[in-house]
Amino acid sequence: GDLCEPTCLLLQALLEATGPGALLTWRGAAHLIGMLSRKRQGKEIVDAVVPMLQWEPSLTASLSSEYKRVWVSDQIRSGAVGEPVEISVDREDLLHEVLDSLRDPSGSSQGVRVKFRGSETGGGDGHRRECFRLVISALCDLEFGLFKSMDGGRSLHPSSTAAEAEPEHLTYFELVGKLIALALLHRETLPAACFTLALRKMLLNVGPLTIEDMASVDPEFYRHKVLYLLEGQYAKGDAPLT
């Protein structure tokens, strides 16, 4: 504890003298970066190497969840001006009122303040968190029709019949994206938005999709159809059937 601040100052001086690459190539880098990301005094050091971590997934994974939340929020807020937009909503028609309030995304670049009409308590972080979680839960409800789940509700993927279930499905998908962005900005979580690995890769533009990613979309189909072909006939080098 007492040695944390002087140690961080020493590390900072070393980085300034040698460059961030020296830290990243050290054998114990993952452990050190993970520890620094959990210490207030280590934030400046981690900030200096974060741009280079995208090339080292193991180092990125070592960062604390709190550091990641703060970093993403700061990146979203970067360059934005103004104050959080205030919205007043009715619990009885929450989904449609939030949809209307967030139609213009330019007004929410600094976040939102939510006030439930008729509530005796003033608006604040608690109202916003409750509002976001209620709305995202409604949008991700399988009965609503935007998403499907092939693993018992553990993960969600856009449904191929979303247009039939909800004529304004694209508008609601856009709202899902806005809520995720606002949750990141406010350093909050949306437990109901538990998407498949394939969908998360597409949203984050992380590498190309592979045939193995199908396992997250439809585990049974992948196990009984795709793996059967991969481990059977195709694995032996036979030409595929046409």
Side-chain angles (χ1 to χ4, degrees), residues 11-227:
L11 282 172
Q12 185 68 39
L14 288 172
L15 284 179
E16 292 174 357
T18 62
L23 174 60
L24 300 183
T25 56
W26 180 51
R27 185 174 57 182
H31 177 73
L32 178 59
I33 289 174
M35 182 181 64
L36 290 172
S37 71
R38 292 167 172 80
K39 301 291 185 180
R40 177 181 55 81
Q41 299 92 334
K43 182 178 183 301
E44 187 175 349
I45 298 174
V46 179
D47 287 345
V49 300
V50 158
M52 302 178 66
L53 295 189
Q54 60 178 316
W55 311 115
E56 298 290 343
S58 62
L59 298 182
T60 304
S62 70
L63 294 170
S64 70
S65 297
E66 179 60 24
Y67 179 88
K68 292 176 183 177
R69 280 197 291 268
V70 173
W71 187 87
V72 170
S73 176
D74 289 345
Q75 297 305 302
I76 297 174
R77 292 178 185 272
S78 173
V81 296
E83 295 293 325
V85 63
E86 295 187 9
I87 63 175
S88 177
V89 294
D90 190 333
R91 292 178 186 273
E92 298 301 319
D93 194 24
L94 189 57
L95 177 56
H96 294 100
E97 294 212 347
V98 170
L99 176 65
D100 290 338
S101 299
L102 297 180
R103 284 191 185 277
D104 181 9
S106 62
S108 55
S109 59
Q110 283 292 336
V112 298
R113 295 193 184 100
V114 177
K115 174 74 166 64
F116 286 115
R117 288 198 294 274
S119 173
E120 296 181 357
T121 59
D125 292 346
H127 279 211
R128 184 185 61 244
R129 282 192 292 269
E130 181 183 0
C131 176
F132 283 7
R133 293 194 180 195
L134 288 173
V135 174
I136 200 70
S137 293
L139 292 167
C140 292
D141 190 322
L142 298 181
E143 294 295 324
F144 194 69
L146 290 186
F147 296 95
K148 65 178 180 179
S149 177
M150 305 300 290
D151 58 4
R154 290 188 296 275
S155 63
L156 303 173
H157 199 77
S159 173
S160 59
T161 60
E164 301 171 15
E166 176 51 62
E168 293 189 52
H169 64 292
L170 295 180
T171 301
Y172 286 118
F173 277 127
E174 182 180 358
L175 179 58
V176 171
K178 291 175 180 177
L179 289 172
I180 292 173
L182 286 169
L184 289 171
L185 188 150
H186 287 292
R187 307 175 189 176
E188 295 170 358
T189 59
L190 300 174
C194 187
F195 299 143
T196 62
L197 174 62
L199 179 55
R200 281 179 278 140
K201 287 180 70 173
M202 288 189 287
L203 290 174
L204 297 172
N205 193 27
V206 180
L209 289 176
T210 66
I211 195 168
E212 287 79 12
D213 291 322
M214 189 182 295
S216 71
V217 179
D218 191 336
E220 289 298 312
F221 179 81
Y222 180 80
R223 186 179 303 113
H224 296 296
K225 301 293 184 180
V226 178
L227 271 186

